Amino acid sequence: MATGIPGLTALWQRFDDWLAEHAPGDHASLQPGCPDGEIKRLEDGLGLSIHEDLRTTLALHNGVTGRRASTEPGAFLLGYSLLDVDGILDAHGGLVSMVEDAFEEGEEDLVIGRIADRQWVPLARNLSGDLLFVDHRHHHSGEIGEMSFGDPEYRMLWPRMDLMLLALCDSLENGIPVTSVPRVPVLHEGRMLEWHVRPSSVRPPAEDV
């Protein structure tokens, strides 16, 4: 069914092009896509077939260069760094451990599907360990969620990755806040993108700080 929304590859290219022009440090952090063999290794490690949106993303970019400090570029997805195959497996292992601990402690109702789930496949991670993930549960397939440690429940940010990229591109180009906790893009030193929390009524354009 036609939706009028460009395909995911085209949206990633639009996003990449903006980074190349405005945030060269972030653009330089992007890694080449991974081969099919790496996708198989990922799926074997996860124990599930990954969503097509994640497959497309990994074929374009297998994560970003490792980031060790907030002054380094690469956290252009709302302050999160795109993960490579090894990073996805590592972050997913952390979620699985949380699920297993919850069963052992009889707290599965407080954890599973709320702050951790075996069928959440991490997409990006910040320096605090919080995650953006692609939901693989049957009734939530393809949703983009945000899990922050200390929060009692995850946030569903977008129902599909193409809608995420479309919103992010519109935000970069027009300074429009995104997500229910309004975040706006701000360029830092003309080389990397930051996302600042602002009141939803404020819509400043991206600018150097």
Side-chain angles (χ1 to χ4, degrees), residues 82-102:
L82 200 62
L83 290 168
D84 62 9
V85 167
D86 287 331
I88 292 172
L89 289 170
D90 178 68
H92 182 260
L95 293 176
V96 170
S97 293
M98 292 172 67
V99 169
E100 292 174 346
D101 290 346

Side-chain angles (χ1 to χ4, degrees), residues 174-196:
N174 303 297
I176 301 170
V178 292
T179 77
S180 58
V181 178
R183 284 166 268 200
V184 293
V186 175
L187 285 173
H188 178 68
E189 297 180 347
R191 64 185 178 91
M192 58 185 276
L193 185 62
E194 296 180 342
W195 292 86
H196 293 184

Side-chain angles (χ1 to χ4, degrees), residues 15-69:
F15 189 87
D16 290 4
D17 289 346
W18 191 96
L19 292 179
E21 181 177 354
H22 300 281
D26 283 331
H27 188 263
S29 74
L30 286 163
Q31 298 297 293
C34 63
D36 290 342
E38 282 290 275
I39 298 294
K40 183 181 185 306
R41 180 170 73 88
L42 174 62
E43 292 182 326
D44 289 345
L46 295 172
L48 53 82
S49 296
I50 62 172
H51 193 278
E52 190 61 32
D53 289 351
L54 183 57
R55 186 184 300 272
T56 296
T57 298
L58 286 169
L60 295 169
H61 299 300
N62 187 27
V64 297
T65 304
R67 185 172 183 262
R68 294 170 293 181

Side-chain angles (χ1 to χ4, degrees), residues 99 102-114:
V99 169
F103 274 115
E104 290 180 6
E105 297 167 7
E107 296 182 345
E108 56 266 32
D109 291 343
L110 298 176
V111 173
I112 299 173
R114 300 188 66 186

Side-chain angles (χ1 to χ4, degrees), residues 69-140:
S70 60
T71 55
E72 297 178 356
F76 47 75
L77 287 180
L78 300 179
Y80 295 84
S81 297
L82 200 62
L83 290 168
D84 62 9
V85 167
D86 287 331
I88 292 172
L89 289 170
D90 178 68
H92 182 260
L95 293 176
V96 170
S97 293
M98 292 172 67
V99 169
E100 292 174 346
D101 290 346
F103 274 115
E104 290 180 6
E105 297 167 7
E107 296 182 345
E108 56 266 32
D109 291 343
L110 298 176
V111 173
I112 299 173
R114 300 188 66 186
I115 62 171
D117 200 285
R118 291 179 181 273
Q119 296 186 78
W120 291 355
V121 179
L123 171 69
R125 179 167 51 188
N126 67 17
L127 291 175
S128 299
D130 302 334
L131 299 170
L132 295 182
F133 62 86
V134 181
D135 207 327
H136 284 65
R137 293 175 296 171
H138 178 67
H139 294 296
H140 300 271

